[in-house]
Amino acid sequence: MQTDPFMPKAPPHIPAELIVPFDFRGDKEYSNDPHKRLDSLRDHHRAFYTPFPRGMGGQGVWVFTRAEDIRAVLKDPQTFASGGLRPFAKAIGEDWTLIPVDLDPPIHSQFRTLLNPVFSPKSMKSMELVILERAEEMTTALTDQKEVDFVPVFARPYPVSIFLELLGLPLDGMEDFIEIEENILQNSGDAQIAAIRQLRDYLAGQIDDRRRNRGDDLISFAVHAEVAGRPLTDDEVMGICVMMFIGGLDTVTSTLGYHFLHLARHPEEQQRLRNHPSLIPGAVEELLRVYNVVTTGRRATRDVEIAGVRIRAGDLLALPTTLASRDPNECPHASEVDLDRESAGHSAFGFGPHRCIGSHLARRELTAALTAWTTRLPMFRLKEATIPRSSGSGVIALESLPLVFL
């Protein structure tokens, strides 16, 4: 199967029949329709190995395509570790760790216990009015427009501005922050390393400032927090701040893009939400189920067999959680949006101990966005002759989404 001289080589312990040359970064079908492309991979493989690297390490990955297997991996951090997969600090010669995503139990639990109250339903509910006002303010600014590119005009600045305020960072730095985040997550080589160093230097200055001038923001919280009865180390503070910065600047933006692409392509469903706003919270859950954007990674800590394949210690795994949500074995017509579907579960926020800590904030942002657009702006559709393109190996995102108001 490995006859292409440009295709990376798989390790010798991988059976040839399990090798599939799928490239998260360069597959054209994935760029055209990532969710459909991933579905097609599940149609033929329960699990396979691609020699194309997905992250910074340059190593190929096992890809799992069924909900039961994805859940089993994510719920077993002893066998499938999260730590060590994001060597951002190592790339610039430092030793901090992304917290809590790059920690595994039992130490992971200490930091989740520290951070959970900050992102709890109660804490996020207190932000509902601010979130809705931001969505209404931004949609009101579009009322005179005949067409917009949804990604740069709304999907990006709306959730990013909210999270920057939570971090206590200036909104006028938004474009620079987004560029840094995109270079870290979407780029490689010198550009990626330079962006990591740039982010580290910027946050170091913010951390020093919060030590002298404590504020009511997430960076101040990290600087002055304690875990297990002790203050956080400098590396722990940096790890939390980098993780919050990266985690807060992409997933909701990406999710909004696919939700609004769907509504632009399905005017009957868009009109139904306009006529019945009470359907919006349920619609958000159904759209999250169908258009999940995250592929998360794990590393095998021991030799193990799962999904009928032998995994060796040190092998990397890729788990497209959209495939768990869209698994037809668990949900009828799983790839279709059904606004009347009764509480079908989804994997948009993951499973197990690393389940997304920001899920309560994300739900409120998505609900407020759909509410504002369907009450304050006219019907919209995809601009003619537009073919939306996607990119991203960890978080897939639309590069643009031109919408026309009717």
Side-chain angles (χ1 to χ4, degrees), residues 233-298:
T233 67
D234 290 346
D235 280 347
E236 287 168 344
V237 172
M238 179 60 68
I240 289 175
C241 291
V242 173
M243 184 63 252
M244 289 193 296
F245 181 96
I246 292 176
L249 266 61
D250 65 344
T251 51
V252 175
T253 290
S254 301
T255 300
L256 281 167
Y258 294 106
H259 288 197
F260 276 74
L261 173 60
H262 177 86
L263 293 176
R265 285 174 165 168
H266 295 83
E268 72 288 353
E269 293 179 5
Q270 184 187 152
Q271 186 63 61
R272 193 171 174 203
L273 295 182
R274 293 173 181 275
N275 295 342
H276 305 284
S278 62
L279 294 175
I280 289 176
V284 166
E285 297 302 313
E286 178 69 350
L287 290 165
L288 279 167
R289 186 190 66 77
V290 176
Y291 298 107
N292 193 336
V293 298
V294 175
T295 294
T296 192
R298 292 294 185 267

Side-chain angles (χ1 to χ4, degrees), residues 131-141 154 368 371-372 375-376:
I131 293 170
L132 184 57
E133 286 178 348
R134 181 63 50 81
E136 291 177 344
E137 170 192 326
M138 294 185 66
T139 49
T140 299
F154 186 88
T371 300
T375 57
R376 291 178 170 267

Side-chain angles (χ1 to χ4, degrees), residues 20 111 130 188 203 213 223 339:
V20 176
F111 284 91
V130 172
S188 60
L203 289 177
N213 306 292
V223 168
L339 298 183

Side-chain angles (χ1 to χ4, degrees), residues 36-214:
K36 184 177 180 180
R37 175 61 169 137
L38 290 172
D39 284 344
S40 74
L41 293 170
R42 182 187 48 231
D43 291 342
H44 300 286
H45 311 279
R46 179 174 180 178
F48 64 89
Y49 186 90
T50 174
F52 286 97
R54 196 178 70 91
M56 292 180 68
Q59 183 177 338
V61 294
W62 288 99
V63 181
F64 288 79
T65 68
R66 295 189 185 179
E68 61 179 306
D69 301 326
I70 291 170
R71 281 197 303 268
V73 170
L74 293 178
K75 290 182 177 180
D76 184 4
Q78 285 74 36
T79 304
F80 303 104
S82 181
L85 298 181
R86 306 157 191 88
F88 297 154
K90 185 178 179 181
I92 60 173
E94 296 186 358
D95 199 32
W96 40 268
T97 296
L98 296 181
I99 296 176
V101 70
D102 226 14
L103 297 176
D104 291 298
I107 191 170
H108 169 269
S109 303
Q110 297 178 0
F111 284 91
R112 270 304 280 250
T113 299
L114 169 68
L115 295 169
N116 277 339
V118 179
F119 296 96
S120 69
K122 181 179 179 180
S123 295
M124 294 302 102
K125 185 172 179 57
S126 68
M127 293 188 61
E128 279 185 338
L129 183 58
V130 172
I131 293 170
L132 184 57
E133 286 178 348
R134 181 63 50 81
E136 291 177 344
E137 170 192 326
M138 294 185 66
T139 49
T140 299
L142 301 177
T143 53
D144 294 330
Q145 301 296 312
K146 296 186 181 301
E147 61 180 75
V148 296
D149 187 341
F150 179 76
V151 172
V153 169
F154 186 88
R156 186 177 293 143
Y158 161 62
V160 170
S161 66
I162 292 168
F163 209 82
L164 289 180
E165 289 188 8
L166 284 171
L167 288 169
L169 299 180
L171 296 185
D172 59 10
M174 182 185 299
E175 292 304 319
D176 291 335
F177 297 144
I178 290 171
E179 183 179 3
I180 290 171
E181 181 261 349
E182 288 180 346
N183 276 327
I184 291 175
L185 297 181
Q186 308 293 348
N187 222 319
S188 60
D190 292 343
Q192 184 182 46
I193 292 172
I196 295 169
R197 185 171 287 112
Q198 186 179 3
L199 176 59
R200 188 267 173 212
D201 291 346
Y202 179 81
L203 289 177
Q206 293 294 313
I207 290 167
D208 287 344
D209 175 72
R210 301 311 193 281
R211 293 195 190 282
R212 299 187 301 271
N213 306 292
R214 183 171 185 168

